């Protein structure tokens, strides 16, 4: 599974929350090419979504959320 695809999906799912709190959301990929991992796609997707949702919840309004892969 491509990690960037999982993060993109989680970002799209959380986009309304990101806009509602006026956050800036940035993804930085430091890997050469796309990072491919052998994981349970559903469970890692849930974990990434939970991390992003927690970042949205605990970042003050108008803040910046950076995801670095």
């Amino acid at each position: 599974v491509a990690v960037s695809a999982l993060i993109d999906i989680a970002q799209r799912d959380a986009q309304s929350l990101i806009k509602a709190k006026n956050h800036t959301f940035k993804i930085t990929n430091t890997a050469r090419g796309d990072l491919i991992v052998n994981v349970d796609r559903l469970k890692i997707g849930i974990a990434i979504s939970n991390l992003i949702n927690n970042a949205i919840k605990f970042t003050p309004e108008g803040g910046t959320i950076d995801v670095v892969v």
Side-chain angles (χ1 to χ4, degrees):
V1 176
V3 173
S4 62
L6 295 171
I7 293 171
D8 288 341
I9 292 167
Q11 179 188 10
R12 280 195 304 261
D13 290 346
Q15 195 61 42
S16 62
L17 295 172
I18 292 167
K19 285 184 180 183
K21 291 194 73 178
N22 198 28
H23 289 321
T24 301
F25 190 91
K26 185 173 86 173
I27 299 172
T28 304
N29 184 355
T30 60
R32 292 183 184 155
D34 204 355
L35 182 61
I36 305 297
V37 293
N38 186 19
V39 295
D40 182 318
R41 182 183 195 112
L42 179 60
K43 290 189 183 200
I44 199 69
I46 291 169
I48 291 170
S49 290
N50 287 341
L51 289 170
I52 291 173
N53 286 331
N54 283 341
I56 294 167
K57 181 178 178 180
F58 294 107
T59 299
E61 188 165 336
T64 300
I65 298 169
D66 293 315
V67 177
V68 180
V69 178

